[in-house]
Amino acid sequence: MCANLQFAQSVPREGYAPLDNAELFYREVGHGQPIIVIHGGPDFDHTYLLPDMDRLSDSYRLIYYDQRWRGKSTSTIPPDDITIQTEIDDLEGLRKHFQLDSVAVLGHSWGGYLAMEYAIRHPDRVSHMILMNTGVASHEDYLLLQQELSRRKAPYREELNALLASAAYKGGDPDAVAQYYRIHFGTTIKQPHLLEGLIERMQIGFTKEGILRGWQVEEMLINETWLSGDCDLFPKLGQLSTPTLVVHGDYDVIPAECAARISQAVPGARFVLLRESGHFAYMESPDQVRKEIADFFVK
């Protein structure tokens, strides 16, 4: 699959952004309108987005980064002390590092939630917001997501229970974790032949230590956000004037109505539902994604 990608890719530039109590690894590629790409998880790093997201690098300057304590990014504060505020501070620090007065943000999955939080807290710093297969904006919608996820996983419940109870998975064994995600994401990719390539890219950075640390961070962030009964971004989203594009797949495990509600909350936002596409629109529907983003920036 990767060998068949047809796009003019420039040479990536990699480095570390020194921030308060952290060094964030970044990967910058392309030229033009700068876009900070915010990966999902929250226990992943940016590598699962590659090389497919790089299709946009012939028209945009993409700035990927690994969130604190994920991937190649490090921190002097422990994983248990990472909060939404530290995540937002890191995004703001990254913007300053690249000396950008304002910047477009593209958030995928969990990264969409971070993008919304950043735009709410720093509306003057976000020129455009692209939410791709975005995470939900409220506790109520998180419950809907969990219901849909449970329904799709039902045929694999026995296998999943055995895997989750195994010593290998609990210990962060990369092969066991990859098998879990093979099942998990298999429920939300419309084109099954793309699944194995995604898992292979995720595995590139898998280590036991990194997996266990990522789970710590994920637990802290999910508890603070979606599992909190107070989680509801909708009132503040309604106060934004940020040009916003919401791209979703009709086969995404995140219910389309959750993404549509976000677009309805942000004044003037555009909602695009891609047919025959799941949770990884940039990979499953690359030509449509490119067109929608191009149209978004010229309007």
Side-chain angles (χ1 to χ4, degrees), residues 35 102 129 217 235 269:
I35 303 176
S102 65
M129 181 165 63
V217 174

Side-chain angles (χ1 to χ4, degrees), residues 215-233:
W215 286 350
Q216 281 184 272
V217 174
E218 180 177 53
E219 181 179 10
M220 298 302 295
L221 292 173
I222 298 302
N223 282 338
E224 183 185 0
T225 58
W226 292 327
L227 286 178
S228 169
D230 295 332
C231 177
D232 184 359
L233 300 184

Side-chain angles (χ1 to χ4, degrees), residues 141-152:
D141 280 356
Y142 182 72
L143 297 181
L144 292 178
L145 162 60
Q146 291 304 306
Q147 291 172 9
E148 179 61 18
L149 188 58
S150 178
R151 183 186 71 82
R152 295 199 193 187

Side-chain angles (χ1 to χ4, degrees), residues 232-296:
D232 184 359
L233 300 184
F234 287 114
K236 292 182 179 178
L237 288 174
Q239 300 172 15
L240 292 179
S241 58
T242 308
T244 298
L245 172 66
V246 181
V247 178
H248 210 70
D250 65 351
Y251 192 69
D252 199 323
V253 71
I254 299 174
E257 58 263 35
C258 297
R261 273 195 282 274
I262 292 171
S263 69
Q264 292 160 5
V266 180
R270 172 169 166 73
F271 177 64
V272 177
L273 185 65
L274 302 176
R275 303 298 176 185
E276 300 298 307
S277 186
H279 189 61
F280 300 88
Y282 64 91
M283 178 178 71
E284 299 178 79
S285 304
D287 294 337
Q288 292 170 279
V289 166
R290 167 183 283 279
K291 180 182 183 303
E292 294 299 338
I293 291 177
D295 291 347
F296 173 59

Side-chain angles (χ1 to χ4, degrees), residues 40-41 43-50 174 177-182 184-185 189 195-207 211 280 282:
D43 54 329
F44 303 154
D45 59 42
H46 81 281
T47 54
Y48 78 92
L49 297 166
L50 306 178
V177 174
Q179 179 58 18
Y180 169 79
Y181 284 121
R182 189 172 283 111
H184 178 79
F185 288 129
I189 287 184
L195 176 61
E196 200 54 42
L198 173 67
I199 300 302
E200 288 175 3
R201 293 193 295 278
M202 290 179 63
Q203 282 186 283
I204 290 173
F206 273 6
T207 65
I211 288 169
F280 300 88
Y282 64 91

Side-chain angles (χ1 to χ4, degrees), residues 63-260:
I63 302 171
Y64 303 90
Y65 75 105
D66 290 343
Q67 292 158 33
R68 188 181 293 232
W69 271 138
R70 279 140 290 174
K72 297 179 181 179
S73 291
T74 60
S75 177
T76 58
I77 67 171
D80 286 348
D81 286 345
I82 291 178
T83 66
I84 284 295
Q85 188 60 58
T86 63
E87 297 286 88
I88 299 307
D89 289 346
D90 284 349
L91 259 171
E92 178 64 359
L94 196 66
R95 179 194 66 78
K96 291 178 179 178
H97 176 80
F98 284 98
Q99 299 180 338
L100 302 170
D101 290 335
S102 65
V103 67
V105 293
L106 188 161
H108 176 255
S109 195
W110 160 258
Y113 183 88
L114 278 188
M116 288 186 281
E117 285 273 20
Y118 181 57
I120 287 169
R121 301 185 193 204
H122 297 280
D124 57 329
R125 299 305 188 189
V126 180
S127 66
H128 298 78
M129 181 165 63
I130 302 169
L131 305 176
M132 189 176 299
N133 307 107
T134 184
V136 297
S138 70
H139 172 72
E140 181 179 348
D141 280 356
Y142 182 72
L143 297 181
L144 292 178
L145 162 60
Q146 291 304 306
Q147 291 172 9
E148 179 61 18
L149 188 58
S150 178
R151 183 186 71 82
R152 295 199 193 187
K153 284 184 174 179
Y156 314 99
R157 184 57 56 193
E158 185 174 341
E159 180 182 359
L160 279 171
N161 287 342
L163 180 61
L164 293 173
S166 69
Y169 180 85
K170 290 180 178 179
D173 176 74
D175 290 336
V177 174
Q179 179 58 18
Y180 169 79
Y181 284 121
R182 189 172 283 111
I183 299 171
H184 178 79
F185 288 129
T187 68
T188 188
I189 287 184
K190 184 63 175 178
Q191 304 169 52
H193 68 281
L194 299 177
L195 176 61
E196 200 54 42
L198 173 67
I199 300 302
E200 288 175 3
R201 293 193 295 278
M202 290 179 63
Q203 282 186 283
I204 290 173
F206 273 6
T207 65
K208 288 185 179 181
E209 295 78 9
I211 288 169
L212 294 174
R213 190 168 57 229
W215 286 350
Q216 281 184 272
V217 174
E218 180 177 53
E219 181 179 10
M220 298 302 295
L221 292 173
I222 298 302
N223 282 338
E224 183 185 0
T225 58
W226 292 327
L227 286 178
S228 169
D230 295 332
C231 177
D232 184 359
L233 300 184
F234 287 114
K236 292 182 179 178
L237 288 174
Q239 300 172 15
L240 292 179
S241 58
T242 308
T244 298
L245 172 66
V246 181
V247 178
H248 210 70
D250 65 351
Y251 192 69
D252 199 323
V253 71
I254 299 174
E257 58 263 35
C258 297

